């Protein structure tokens, strides 16, 4: 049976895709600058479901007299292992105190005690206990819902960007005119046209079997921008967080790095012995994430267990309940008392250090297209992000991008008249939901085994062949059938996986979060990996 999913056409000044911290803060900053603006804010499920909501540790900013911007900059560069872009690092870190002030103005109340996390030389993490993300998202979302200028579309997923390449221009720089958006409740694909499009779609943790990310993190922004012709970079640097809780019924609950900041020790599950001294004699448990994750991976391979222990039993029950209320009560609910029991943990995919190439204001290769937050690749994180620098980048970019998009809004967009609506008739229901799930499950397992913490040429090459096969099946299906949210996400996950694996194959060295067993050395020259459909196709 054939049917059409064609929906309506909507016009806005700005289309913001994603309602995490980046999208929400951008909207609020924008209406402060331009009170008469009309913004469409798109969220693929409930507006509060996003990576930002689950942030536990906090947001890094220098504030103590014994600390300095230079020290924060130097810690960030060290963690990035030669691949940070120094001007971006300096710019973001200098803007950190004003980012904290913007959050306090909502008002968000940070705890009086700053936290310490891996790779930081000082206590400089502003936090709301272990619920920093939840507090921030709930507060800003409440304000967003009150603004008549912001039209929130929940349960709507962006499918593709709408682009225009001018036939007579020599620079071949495309312009983005809006996006096709699937209304998941009514199964209609609407055409949203706008003078500026802001991608704030977050990361792609769901490319891997074990991840700290929620279901929405499927790399849609990178996939849409890449298909539209924007460059993406450093995709091989998917950061693994060392300590996801290992438990059969709670499969993406993070045990914050701040637990190690308060003295938590890592121990081998067979012997009960501490092991970090063998891997990072000075920083021990507070070494950067790439180092700690690889150490845990190594210990797991050598033991009979697929986890290690995190031990903070030397701290009192009263302290742990106060400092980590969410972690404490969640663990109690599954029978672990962290003041008496060690916590089983595994490393898990956590953060996309690469993404869509942008400057610190979120400008991409395409006119009228911005990317902000985790989806962007600014050069702040290099080969391995320093803890709590992500929320910082998100706030800074959202605020900078609001200033920049003002310019687009003042310019009319001539190409609007030529935008086609989504009207191709397609077959219904040719793949059952369980078959889409099967592809997804298999791919995520394969990514974890072959493109995880330790990689080899042979494994990556085998994986690439599997991915290419899936890519072909999925692409053929896409052009002939009605699409669903699951299918859109699967298509994007496969593209992200392909970008990660091709970049990992091409990087014949070990650096930051990318470890090649067959090339354990670091090249003398640090180079970014850049891919683009137009200029330098990896696909
Ligand atoms: P997100 O918050 O992930 O928001 C993305 C939004 O885009 C979501 O609303 C999603 O539904 C929407 N979306 C995606 N695709 C589409 C589509 N196709 N159509 C419509 N909507 C779409 N960083 C720190 O600095 N400090 C921390 O303490 C910290 N702790 C963390 C703990 C956990 C468990 C996790 C997962 C991450 C943590 N991070 C932390 C990282 C940080 O939270 C994220 O990098 C940051 O919040 C990203 O914000 P964002 O707005 O870019 O993306
Ligand atoms: C954590 O709390 O361990 C996460 C911090 C981060 O991802 O920056």
């Amino acid at each position: 049976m054939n049917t059409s999913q064609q929906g309506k056409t909507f016009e806005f000044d700005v289309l913001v895709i994603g309602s995490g911290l980046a999208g929400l803060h951008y909207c609020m900053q924008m209406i402060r600058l331009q009170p008469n603006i009309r913004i469409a804010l798109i969220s693929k499920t409930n507006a509060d479901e996003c990576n930002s909501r689950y942030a536990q540790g906090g947001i890094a900013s220098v504030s103590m007299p014994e600390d300095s911007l230079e020290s924060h900059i130097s810690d960030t560069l060290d963690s990035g292992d030669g691949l940070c872009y120094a001007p971006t690092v300096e710019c973001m870190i200098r803007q950190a105190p004003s980012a904290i002030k913007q959050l306090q103005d909502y008002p968000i109340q940070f705890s009086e005690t700053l936290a310490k996390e891996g790779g930081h030389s000082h206590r400089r993490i502003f936090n709301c206990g272990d619920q920093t993300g939840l507090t921030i998202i709930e507060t800003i979302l409440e304000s967003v819902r009150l603004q008549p200028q912001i039209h929130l579309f929940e349960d709507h997923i962006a499918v593709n960007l709408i682009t225009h390449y001018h036939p007579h221009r020599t620079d071949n720089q495309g312009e983005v005119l809006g996006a096709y958006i699937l209304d998941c409740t009514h199964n209609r694909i609407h055409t949203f046209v706008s003078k500026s499009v802001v991608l704030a779609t977050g990361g792609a943790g769901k490319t891997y079997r074990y991840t700290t990310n929620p279901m929405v993190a499927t790399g849609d922004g990178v996939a849409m921008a890449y298909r539209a012709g924007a460059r993406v970079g450093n995709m091989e640097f998917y950061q693994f967080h060392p300590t996801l809780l290992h438990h059969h019924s709670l499969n993406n609950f993070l045990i914050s790095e701040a637990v190690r900041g308060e003295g938590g020790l890592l121990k081998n599950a067979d012997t009960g012995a501490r092991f970090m001294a063998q891997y990072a004699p000075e920083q021990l448990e507070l070494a950067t994430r790439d180092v700690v994750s690889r150490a845990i991976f190594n210990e797991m391979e050598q033991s009979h267990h697929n986890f290690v222990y995190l031990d903070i039993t030397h701290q009192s029950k009263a302290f742990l309940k106060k400092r980590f209320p969410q972690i404490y009560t969640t663990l109690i609910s599954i029978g672990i008392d962290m003041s008496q029991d060690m916590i089983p943990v595994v490393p898990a995919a956590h953060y996309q250090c690469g993404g869509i190439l942008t400057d610190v204001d979120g400008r991409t290769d395409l006119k009228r297209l911005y990317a902000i937050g985790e989806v962007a690749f600014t050069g702040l994180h290099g080969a391995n992000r320093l803890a709590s620098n992500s929320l910082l980048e998100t706030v800074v970019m959202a605020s900078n991008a609001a200033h920049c998009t003002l310019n687009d809004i003042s310019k009319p967009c001539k190409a609007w008249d030529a935008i086609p609506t989504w009207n191709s008739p397609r077959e219904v229901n040719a793949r059952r939901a369980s078959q889409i799930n099967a592809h997804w499950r298999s791919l995520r397992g394969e990514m974890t085994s072959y493109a995880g913490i330790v990689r080899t040429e042979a494994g990556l090459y085998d994986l690439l062949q599997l991915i290419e096969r899936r890519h072909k099946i999925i692409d053929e299906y896409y052009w002939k059938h009605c699409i669903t949210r699951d299918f859109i996400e699967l298509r994007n996950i496969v593209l992200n996986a392909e970008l990660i694996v091709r970049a990992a194959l091409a990087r014949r060295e070990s650096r930051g979060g990318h470890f090649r067993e067959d090339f354990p050395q670091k090249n003398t020259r640090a180079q970014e990996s850049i891919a683009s459909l137009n200029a330098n196709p990896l696909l």
Side-chain angles (χ1 to χ4, degrees):
M1 188 180 84
N2 276 5
T3 190
S4 166
Q5 290 179 291
Q6 184 178 12
K8 300 183 210 152
T9 297
F10 295 95
E11 279 184 25
F12 285 93
D13 292 316
V14 186
L15 171 64
V16 180
I17 304 175
S19 60
L21 178 56
L24 296 178
H25 189 53
Y26 169 88
C27 289
M28 291 304 292
Q29 291 290 304
M30 196 65 205
I31 59 173
R32 201 175 53 81
L33 295 171
Q34 178 59 273
N36 298 326
I37 198 159
R38 287 185 72 242
I39 302 177
L41 174 59
I42 311 292
S43 188
K44 67 158 94 161
T45 60
N46 301 335
D48 62 352
E49 185 59 334
C50 54
N51 277 357
S52 306
R53 174 196 168 91
Y54 297 95
Q56 294 181 355
I59 169 164
S61 175
V62 169
S63 70
M64 303 296 276
E66 65 274 19
D67 197 359
S68 66
L69 292 175
E70 288 66 34
S71 166
H72 189 181
I73 291 170
S74 139
D75 290 346
T76 302
L77 295 172
D78 285 350
S79 183
D81 205 4
L83 265 185
C84 294
Y85 181 52
T88 293
V89 174
E90 176 147 359
C91 170
M92 294 273 181
I93 284 167
R94 286 196 187 284
Q95 288 190 73
S98 109
I100 297 290
K101 169 83 175 52
Q102 286 172 17
L103 294 177
Q104 284 168 331
D105 284 347
Y106 274 110
I108 285 151
Q109 253 195 323
F110 291 108
S111 124
E112 276 165 23
T113 319
L114 297 177
K116 189 164 185 333
E117 289 183 336
H120 286 277
S121 310
H122 295 276
R123 283 191 175 260
R124 59 168 78 106
I125 316 296
F126 284 76
N127 63 86
C128 309
D130 60 357
Q131 295 188 309
T132 308
L134 184 66
T135 310
I136 294 176
I137 290 299
E138 279 183 347
T139 309
I140 309 184
L141 187 55
E142 203 179 308
S143 301
V144 161
R145 287 192 193 276
L146 294 174
Q147 311 304 321
Q149 304 97 316
I150 304 172
H151 301 254
L152 177 58
F153 295 82
E154 292 179 280
D155 288 312
H156 281 63
I157 178 169
V159 182
N160 257 341
L161 296 172
I162 302 170
T163 45
H164 173 72
Y165 280 84
H166 198 286
H168 304 303
R169 281 192 56 155
T170 46
D171 62 6
N172 198 28
Q173 193 193 12
E175 184 167 23
V176 171
L177 311 176
Y180 294 114
I181 311 273
L182 169 68
D183 170 347
C184 303
T185 315
H186 301 101
N187 190 26
R188 286 281 170 271
I189 298 180
H190 302 305
T191 307
F192 280 70
V193 287
S194 59
K195 294 178 195 151
S196 215
V197 175
V198 179
L199 287 173
T201 47
K206 285 289 161 183
T207 317
Y208 287 92
R209 168 81 183 80
Y210 297 106
T211 176
T212 60
N213 293 188
M215 286 306 286
V216 293
T218 55
D220 300 356
V222 163
M224 287 189 282
Y226 182 82
R227 287 194 293 263
R231 284 174 299 165
V232 301
N234 279 9
M235 291 294 289
E236 67 275 38
F237 294 107
Y238 218 99
Q239 178 175 71
F240 283 72
H241 193 293
T243 57
L244 177 79
L245 174 70
H246 180 269
H247 191 264
H248 59 273
S249 68
L250 267 184
N251 62 12
N252 61 349
F253 185 72
L254 182 73
I255 307 294
S256 175
E257 192 145 326
V259 173
R260 277 174 284 131
E262 299 297 350
L265 306 175
L266 290 166
K267 296 187 171 172
N268 183 291
D270 278 344
T271 61
R274 264 183 91 179
F275 54 79
M276 278 311 298
Q278 297 161 51
Y279 302 93
E282 280 173 28
Q283 291 178 302
L284 301 168
E285 275 81 0
L286 285 179
T288 52
R289 285 182 185 169
D290 52 336
V291 174
V292 181
S293 291
R294 262 196 308 280
I296 295 178
F297 181 84
N298 211 20
E299 294 292 312
M300 279 167 28
E301 289 238 303
Q302 287 168 18
S303 80
H304 296 102
H305 291 87
N306 47 3
F307 59 85
V308 296
Y309 282 118
L310 178 60
D311 182 357
I312 185 135
T313 52
H314 64 280
Q315 292 281 13
S316 73
K317 188 177 287 226
F319 171 81
L320 293 172
K321 272 171 115 166
K322 182 157 186 285
R323 175 66 184 88
F324 302 112
Q326 182 191 202
I327 297 176
Y328 186 86
T329 40
T330 305
L331 290 177
I332 285 289
S333 76
I334 54 166
I336 298 173
D337 177 346
M338 68 195 281
S339 69
Q340 290 172 23
D341 307 318
M342 295 194 288
I343 311 163
V345 291
V346 281
H350 182 61
Y351 183 84
Q352 170 186 286
C353 294
I356 305 164
L357 255 73
T358 71
D359 61 12
V360 289
D361 302 331
R363 284 188 200 86
T364 68
D365 288 339
L366 304 179
K367 281 198 277 177
R368 298 182 191 268
L369 179 68
Y370 293 77
I372 57 175
E374 187 167 345
V375 72
F377 163 38
T378 59
L380 173 64
H381 310 304
N384 177 51
R385 170 172 70 92
L386 183 65
S388 290
N389 267 357
S390 167
L391 293 180
L392 165 63
E393 181 182 51
T394 299
V395 176
V396 169
M397 289 189 90
S399 166
N400 292 355
H403 285 92
C404 288
T405 42
L406 272 181
N407 192 29
D408 289 340
I409 290 154
S410 61
K411 286 188 279 180
C413 188
K414 291 191 195 119
W416 269 15
D417 300 340
I419 297 176
T421 51
W422 183 282
N423 65 355
S424 52
R426 294 171 180 216
E427 259 177 59
V428 187
N429 210 15
R431 286 277 191 291
R432 301 176 63 80
S434 61
Q435 294 167 339
I436 293 174
N437 288 342
H439 272 297
W440 193 337
R441 243 192 343 267
S442 309
L443 176 71
R444 290 178 58 198
E446 289 154 11
M447 283 296 286
T448 299
S449 303
Y450 298 111
I453 293 172
V454 175
R455 302 160 175 185
T456 63
E457 182 105 7
L460 288 166
Y461 187 70
D462 288 348
L463 175 57
L464 184 60
Q465 289 185 317
L466 294 170
I467 292 174
E468 281 176 342
R469 176 108 184 81
R470 289 188 205 288
H471 195 144
K472 194 159 170 284
I473 295 171
I474 287 157
D475 244 32
E476 279 171 11
Y477 181 88
Y478 175 79
W479 291 110
K480 291 189 196 137
H481 299 98
C482 287
I483 48 177
T484 58
R485 181 185 138 192
D486 283 353
F487 185 77
I488 293 163
E489 292 182 338
L490 174 65
R491 180 173 182 241
N492 292 334
I493 285 282
V494 170
L495 177 51
N496 275 267
E498 188 157 352
L499 288 165
I500 293 170
V501 171
R502 285 189 185 274
L505 261 173
R507 186 171 289 280
R508 299 179 133 202
E509 64 163 343
S510 292
R511 183 184 293 279
H514 169 75
F515 184 77
R516 287 278 302 257
E517 203 166 30
D518 41 1
F519 294 98
Q521 307 305 328
K522 209 178 296 182
N523 291 342
T524 30
R525 203 165 140 247
Q527 220 175 349
E528 294 162 339
S529 337
I530 309 291
S532 140
L533 206 54
N534 292 336
N536 174 23
L538 275 182
L539 299 181

